[in-house]
Amino acid sequence: MPRSFASSSTALRTAIRSWAALIAAALIGWVVMVMPAAAQGNPAAESATRIAQAEVDVRGVDRALDAQVDDADRDALRKRAQAAQDATTQAVADLTEQLALVNARITGLGTVTPGEVEAPELRAQRKTLTALRSSIDAAIKRGRLAGVEAGQLVDEIDQGQAEQFSQKLSSKVPSPLSPAFWILVLDQAPRDLRRIGLFLQQGGEQVAQQWRGGVPWHAMLGFALAIILLGPVRLGAHRLAQRRLIAEAPPSRVRRSANTFWRVAVGTLCPLAAAFIFVQGLRWSGLLPQRWTGFLDGFVFASGVAGFTAAVTGAVLMRSQPSWRIAPIDDETASRLRPLSWGLTILTFATAMIASFEGAIGSSRSAVIATQATEALLHLLLIVATLVVLGQIRARRAATQEMTNAGVSAGLSIVTLLAWIAVGVAGLALIIGYIWFSWFVALMIGWTVLLGSALYLMLVAADDIATTIFVRDSKVGMTLTRALGIRGSMVDQFGLVLSGVVRLALILIALGMFLRPFGASGSPGAIFDQLANVADGIKVGNVWISPGTILQGLVVLFVGLGLVRLFMRWLEQRYLPATDLDGSGRNSISLVARYIGIALAVIWALASLGIGVERIALLLSALSVGIGFGLQAITQNFVSGLILLAERPIKIGDLIRVGTDEGDVKRISVRSTEIELADHSTLIVPNSELITKSVLNKTLSGPLGRVQIQFSVPIEEDADVVRKAVLDCFAAESAVLDDPAPKAFIDSIVDGRIHFNCFAHVESPRAAYGTRSAVLFALLSTLRDKGIEIGTVPQKMELVRQSGTSAAPTPPSPAEDETKMK
């Protein structure tokens, strides 16, 4: 009653708005035709007409929702309302542009000066433009109102789908183990049997009538073509593709991906085409009545789904051709899982056919529930058998101590545990009486396996194709490099980015298809809304708090962090190595991307809880005082870390000196920097110390290190001989570089000695100390062999009498001459 009353009360207003829109469109068209300069295409009138039509569509959808509609009609109404909303949005945008042009023309006419009489032509033009502006403004308002109403209808339809989905999940019937369940089924069994008999009788009578009229060549030809498509054509297409790939395609990952994609396409299209041709032959022969149309369409659909299931699982396992297998599955696992995959194919075909048959004959609700209970039980048994087989294989490997990837093993353990939990919950729900919930969970597990397998194959194929075609060594890469003059690394980066974008699009499409087969909305954003409607909550302020909402927020947070982890793995292992950046640049980009991704994941999780960005900003502003005082040091180090990552005065691998400590930079985070000292200990320095204090970076301007040697010889020695000896020692040391060449200079002549200052360069400052020691060893040996004294300074001694008179200097005795004084 409330919706009917609201519909009847708004019908008159909607009709009035529609007539007003038509009148406005006519008025705008007349005014535009009066103005030749604006009459090109008549955009304002066309936009107003689109708004009027959108209002009519919105009114029609609103009336249709008053009656009971099924899923197909609901989808059609949603598309109609969405189209009306899009039309009004575009029309409002066009009218806004026209309004801006009209306002500009009115502004160009200027204002009327008081006391002056305006020319009749200007006054008429001003009047016309004013009327046009009023009409366009009214049309814009109506368009916005119609767009809002269309959006409300779309939300109402989505909400109705979500509520219907939740009602099915929470619906309960007597337990299949109780007599009450089977009593309901047996009570409706006679009526269901009569419906089945009538359905088969009509089909038999139609076949008998048409068969007496002649041989049904169309049906026989369709059946023969279906057999040919399923047998020789399908097998021949597989063999032909493999021979062509082996003969023409290079031995790379693309060949396996192309073969897998071809197998899935042929395995899906051949059964689908065979079923369609067979059914079409029956229809052309007139062997089946009109009532069988829905059942035959269901047969075609079931054949296509079953073919897709068999093709995808077969392409993943590749039991008979392990060399073409893409998935990291061993031969034993593929052999033991292949029969179970055929079981999944048969169950999928049977489930689709039973649903079509029940819809065609109009089965009772008790029969449908009994069928769903049987289907759920069979699917659960198949899932349990698969889990048992996988458990046996893992147990045998654990017993033989076969080495496996720890990360993959942990992931499989988690997936297996979740699968057992889902099976247990679905089995318990089946026993209690939540038949539709159990059926939904069982089919969801199978659909998840099927969709995940297809998604995996497409992700691998997309990555293989993108990273093989767009690579610097490929024909496309060399063509781009030579034609456009771009670097080879740019081609590699483009291939990786293209692979990431395509795989992200595939993931979003798969997410949209996740709940689509079970009557839920296919948009990714509506999935969490549908799950959240199962649990109710309480409202505190403007925020709803409920177990479902909290669980949704946690799921969104973990999903966001998982996506960030996958993105970081792709960034660090695939994209950044293909760039020309050094290790420090990669570390900077990696750190910034990681923190941005974590921040976005947290914001996404808070938004899913109903906490908008404006509330987050309010919370941060409230905490700003505490951050300014209590967390001042942390904030300072954080900002300093961002400065280090942006300006890069210090990079990973640099040899720096902070105070009296010298070492190699090993890691730069947003809070501190780790420096490995010469004794292999780690010095952790806050980033603020590296920004506000002096730091010696020995490898900032270049990677070379310098060796400096200073010594002196007596002035009587030949300086050229000493210089040659020094340069020979430098040349004999392999660590000394030829460019820049070693140099030996005379620094000064003091106290009867020649002071030399010599320089050489090595590849790294880390090699300077050892090289200097080796050169000194060689230089000492060389000068000793030449009899050249190095590094000693003779000193003179004067005797002074205590009486204050100086005695004449006497030559030292030989004993005194040999005395050493400091």
Side-chain angles (χ1 to χ4, degrees), residues 587-601:
N587 179 73
S588 301
I589 295 177
S590 177
L591 283 176
V592 174
R594 178 179 289 107
Y595 283 108
I596 292 177
I598 293 175
L600 292 177

Side-chain angles (χ1 to χ4, degrees), residues 305-620:
V305 174
F308 178 74
T309 304
V312 169
T313 54
V316 172
L317 296 177
M318 284 286 183
R319 182 182 62 175
S320 59
Q321 296 176 330
S323 60
W324 292 87
R325 186 182 300 142
I326 292 180
I329 300 175
D330 59 284
D331 296 341
E332 180 188 2
T333 304
S335 299
R336 298 191 63 180
L337 289 181
R338 187 54 179 163
L340 298 176
S341 68
W342 283 114
L344 177 62
T345 303
I346 295 173
L347 277 180
T348 302
F349 179 79
T351 301
M353 285 299 300
I354 290 174
S356 300
F357 183 75
E358 289 177 341
I361 67 173
S363 297
S364 62
R365 183 174 180 271
S366 59
V368 172
I369 293 175
T371 304
Q372 289 179 347
T374 305
E375 293 173 354
L377 180 60
L378 293 176
H379 278 84
L380 291 177
L381 291 177
L382 179 64
I383 297 168
V384 169
T386 304
L387 294 177
V388 170
V389 169
L390 293 177
Q392 292 176 352
I393 294 175
R394 294 189 61 188
R396 187 192 59 78
R397 291 179 180 176
T400 57
Q401 297 181 354
E402 295 182 5
M403 299 300 295
T404 57
N405 191 317
V408 175
S409 179
L412 290 177
S413 300
I414 295 175
V415 172
T416 304
L417 177 61
L418 293 178
W420 277 113
I421 294 175
V423 170
V425 171
L428 181 62
L430 180 63
I431 294 174
I432 295 175
Y434 291 95
I435 305 298
W436 199 91
F437 176 80
S438 177
W439 177 85
F440 172 77
V441 173
L443 266 66
M444 275 297 299
I445 296 176
W447 174 242
T448 302
V449 172
L450 180 61
L451 185 62
S453 301
L455 178 62
Y456 173 79
L457 295 177
M458 290 188 291
L459 292 179
V460 173
D463 182 65
D464 291 344
I465 294 173
T467 56
T468 302
I469 294 178
F470 294 97
V471 68
R472 66 181 71 187
D473 298 332
S474 65
K475 294 182 179 180
V476 176
M478 291 187 292
T479 301
L480 294 175
T481 303
R482 295 170 182 174
L484 303 179
I486 60 178
R487 295 176 297 176
S489 61
M490 295 296 295
V491 179
D492 297 339
Q493 295 173 37
F494 177 76
L496 293 173
V497 171
L498 179 62
S499 171
V501 171
V502 172
R503 289 192 290 175
L504 179 61
L506 292 174
I507 292 174
L508 293 177
I509 293 174
L511 186 62
M513 296 175 60
F514 186 61
L515 292 178
R516 189 65 178 176
F518 305 98
S521 177
S523 60
I527 294 176
F528 293 112
D529 294 337
Q530 294 162 356
L531 296 179
N533 286 332
V534 179
D536 296 330
I538 58 174
K539 186 176 182 180
V540 179
N542 294 325
V543 180
W544 281 93
I545 299 178
S546 66
T549 304
I550 296 175
L551 180 61
Q552 174 182 329
L554 293 176
V555 170
V556 170
L557 178 60
F558 285 123
V559 169
L561 294 178
L563 293 177
V564 171
R565 185 175 181 181
L566 293 176
F567 173 75
M568 293 305 303
R569 182 183 302 175
W570 172 82
L571 182 67
E572 295 174 351
Q573 299 181 4
R574 300 293 302 278
Y575 181 75
L576 291 179
T579 62
D580 298 330
L581 298 175
D582 55 5
S584 179
R586 299 177 190 176
N587 179 73
S588 301
I589 295 177
S590 177
L591 283 176
V592 174
R594 178 179 289 107
Y595 283 108
I596 292 177
I598 293 175
L600 292 177
V602 173
I603 292 176
W604 186 25
L606 293 177
S608 67
L609 295 174
I611 303 176
V613 179
E614 66 281 356
R615 297 177 183 174
I616 299 175
L618 180 62
L619 178 62
L620 293 179

Side-chain angles (χ1 to χ4, degrees), residues 125-401:
Q125 190 174 5
R126 188 188 303 277
K127 183 178 180 181
T128 302
L129 290 174
T130 303
L132 180 60
R133 180 175 62 181
S134 301
S135 300
I136 293 177
D137 184 67
I140 290 175
K141 294 179 180 179
R142 285 192 299 272
R144 290 173 178 172
L145 181 59
V148 171
E149 293 178 352
Q152 292 176 351
L153 290 177
V154 171
D155 295 338
E156 181 180 350
I157 294 173
D158 291 339
Q159 185 178 2
Q161 286 181 332
E163 291 177 354
Q164 183 180 6
F165 183 76
S166 302
Q167 290 175 359
K168 289 183 178 180
L169 287 178
S170 58
S171 61
K172 185 179 181 300
V173 297
S175 172
L177 302 179
S178 64
F181 178 85
W182 298 106
I183 290 174
L184 293 176
V185 175
L186 294 176
D187 289 342
Q188 298 293 330
R191 182 176 299 175
D192 292 328
L193 292 176
R194 287 195 300 270
R195 292 171 179 173
I196 295 174
L198 180 61
F199 183 79
L200 297 177
Q201 180 182 356
Q202 291 177 351
E205 293 176 354
Q206 186 74 14
V207 171
Q209 180 180 358
Q210 294 296 328
W211 193 274
R212 287 192 298 268
V215 179
W217 296 107
H218 299 89
M220 298 177 64
L221 180 61
F223 179 75
L225 291 177
I227 296 299
I228 294 174
L229 283 174
L230 289 176
V233 173
R234 184 175 62 87
L235 297 178
H238 289 166
R239 297 191 185 98
L240 177 62
Q242 288 186 356
R243 288 197 298 267
R244 294 292 299 272
L245 289 173
I246 294 174
E248 301 178 4
S252 61
R253 298 181 305 171
V254 178
R255 185 164 65 180
R256 292 190 307 169
S257 299
N259 178 69
T260 301
F261 182 80
W262 178 256
R263 287 181 63 92
V264 174
V266 172
T268 303
L269 294 178
C270 283
L272 182 63
F276 176 78
I277 292 175
F278 175 67
V279 170
Q280 201 65 27
L282 294 177
R283 288 175 175 171
W284 286 342
S285 299
L287 292 178
L288 299 178
Q290 184 67 27
R291 186 181 177 186
W292 284 53
T293 301
F295 176 70
L296 295 177
D297 293 338
F299 172 73
V300 176
F301 173 76
S303 301
V305 174
F308 178 74
T309 304
V312 169
T313 54
V316 172
L317 296 177
M318 284 286 183
R319 182 182 62 175
S320 59
Q321 296 176 330
S323 60
W324 292 87
R325 186 182 300 142
I326 292 180
I329 300 175
D330 59 284
D331 296 341
E332 180 188 2
T333 304
S335 299
R336 298 191 63 180
L337 289 181
R338 187 54 179 163
L340 298 176
S341 68
W342 283 114
L344 177 62
T345 303
I346 295 173
L347 277 180
T348 302
F349 179 79
T351 301
M353 285 299 300
I354 290 174
S356 300
F357 183 75
E358 289 177 341
I361 67 173
S363 297
S364 62
R365 183 174 180 271
S366 59
V368 172
I369 293 175
T371 304
Q372 289 179 347
T374 305
E375 293 173 354
L377 180 60
L378 293 176
H379 278 84
L380 291 177
L381 291 177
L382 179 64
I383 297 168
V384 169
T386 304
L387 294 177
V388 170
V389 169
L390 293 177
Q392 292 176 352
I393 294 175
R394 294 189 61 188
R396 187 192 59 78
R397 291 179 180 176
T400 57
Q401 297 181 354

Side-chain angles (χ1 to χ4, degrees), residues 715-750:
I715 197 172
E716 294 82 6
E717 303 293 342
D718 190 349
D720 292 333
V721 174
V722 177
R723 177 176 179 274
K724 185 177 183 302
V726 174
L727 296 180
D728 290 341
C729 292
F730 278 138
E733 179 60 34
S734 60
V736 175
L737 300 178
D738 296 332
D739 186 19
K743 302 290 184 181
F745 302 96
I746 295 178
D747 187 67
S748 63
I749 301 176
V750 180

